[in-house]
Amino acid sequence: MMRMSVTVLVLLILSTLWGLTGCGSKENADLPANDQQAAYTADQQLYEDAAKKLVGTFMRDLQGELMSAMKDGGPENAIRVCNTAAPEIAAAHSAQGWTIKRVSERFRNPDNRADTTELAVLARFADTTGAPEIVANWTEIDSLRTFHFYKPIRVGQLCLNCHGGVQTLVPGVYQKLKKYYPADRAVGYKAGDLRGMFVVEAPWPDGVEYARQLLNPDTTTTTDTIAQ
Ligand code: HEC
């Protein structure tokens, strides 16, 4: 009797391990069918390419707004671009579950505070000996698959106008920043410092169509999506 239940137990453990390695996935109703699995595997590269494109577009749009506002009225005038345009541009590029945002450990706007997971990724980007260029991974919670993509943001010369040492900021800029962000932590940076990172997240398979649109904007109606 005893021997019998031990055998059953061993079999149980073995079959569980078998299931965990994915070899028994055909019997497991919780896992997707083979063709769905194949589609998912194929779409992983699509998502990574689309995320890269999205970050590039977001960065270009934001820097474009920033540069023209600086030209029009210096950094003091440009503060409003970062204050209102950044979240607006981010929202405009978010569709079909795709989201893009900027986060930081030393943030200016508390809305951009990095969470625990993001802080761990930031630590990897802060590594001076071998920081990755990007970090991408997938999570699966309650069979909901989500893509996560991270790209570091480093400080350039232009950025020092508003993120440099407090003593070096133009007085008007300093006052305006204090007014909008009384608890500002995003000063005191030097050129080359890690300022934060872009975070892109997207659900699978719901975000597949938008991923394709991002990569082929000419053949599809990206602007319609963005206008939503
Ligand atoms: C004209 C002033 C100004 C300049 C120049 C500027 N920023 Fe900012 N930056 C801001 C403001 C204001 C915010 C807060 C935006 C908000 O409220 O969401 C901000 C926020 C950020 C954030 C989001 C995290 C946080 O701290 O809230 C990042 C990342 C960032 N800036 C990076 C940069 C980089 C990189 C550059 C140079 C390419 C740059 N900034 C140039 C004013 C500026």
Side-chain angles (χ1 to χ4, degrees):
M1 186 64 199
M2 186 65 192
R3 180 174 298 258
M4 174 75 171
S5 50
V6 166
T7 316
V8 168
L9 193 68
V10 167
L11 278 175
L12 247 167
I13 290 170
L14 278 177
S15 64
T16 310
L17 284 174
W18 185 248
L20 283 179
T21 56
C23 306
S25 60
K26 264 171 268 163
E27 287 86 31
N28 192 333
D30 288 333
L31 288 173
N34 274 349
D35 50 350
Q36 200 191 348
Q37 181 64 35
Y40 168 63
T41 307
D43 283 342
Q44 289 185 338
Q45 191 61 46
L46 171 76
Y47 270 53
E48 189 169 321
D49 293 345
K52 280 183 187 153
K53 187 79 183 282
L54 184 57
V55 167
T57 314
F58 179 74
M59 211 157 67
R60 195 196 56 210
D61 288 0
L62 193 59
Q63 290 212 357
E65 291 254 5
L66 189 64
M67 300 283 256
S68 69
M70 295 270 279
K71 240 170 77 214
D72 287 353
E76 213 178 319
N77 174 54
I79 288 175
R80 76 169 167 78
V81 172
C82 303
N83 177 244
T84 56
E88 273 170 24
I89 296 172
H93 289 301
S94 302
Q96 285 179 20
W98 281 75
T99 58
I100 181 164
K101 62 177 178 179
R102 298 181 303 168
V103 300
S104 181
E105 186 174 6
R106 273 167 53 199
F107 45 86
R108 173 156 287 163
N109 185 334
D111 290 348
N112 302 328
R113 173 200 299 264
D115 67 21
T116 318
T117 311
E118 290 160 351
L119 284 174
V121 180
L122 278 170
R124 290 181 62 188
F125 288 140
D127 185 343
T128 46
T129 49
E133 273 177 33
I134 55 144
V135 168
N137 57 50
W138 286 85
T139 53
E140 185 173 347
I141 298 166
D142 292 338
S143 75
L144 213 112
R145 284 169 162 164
T146 307
F147 178 60
H148 308 263
F149 180 91
Y150 310 92
K151 188 167 182 200
I153 302 173
R154 301 195 190 272
V155 175
Q157 216 58 42
L158 171 75
C159 322
L160 297 177
N161 283 298
C162 300
H163 295 295
V166 172
Q167 308 87 331
T168 64
L169 296 178
V170 173
V173 170
Y174 178 72
Q175 278 147 21
K176 218 163 171 181
L177 287 174
K178 270 277 160 250
K179 185 175 153 213
Y180 287 118
Y181 308 96
D184 187 12
R185 297 174 60 189
V187 284
Y189 284 97
K190 297 185 302 298
D193 282 352
L194 180 66
R195 172 70 189 84
M197 64 181 181
F198 295 102
V199 180
V200 176
E201 279 164 331
W204 187 89
D206 289 1
V208 169
E209 202 192 314
Y210 189 57
R212 295 209 178 102
Q213 282 182 25
L214 282 167
L215 292 170
N216 297 296
D218 301 336
T219 55
T220 45
T221 52
T222 313
T223 42
D224 290 354
T225 317
I226 280 173
Q228 279 170 14

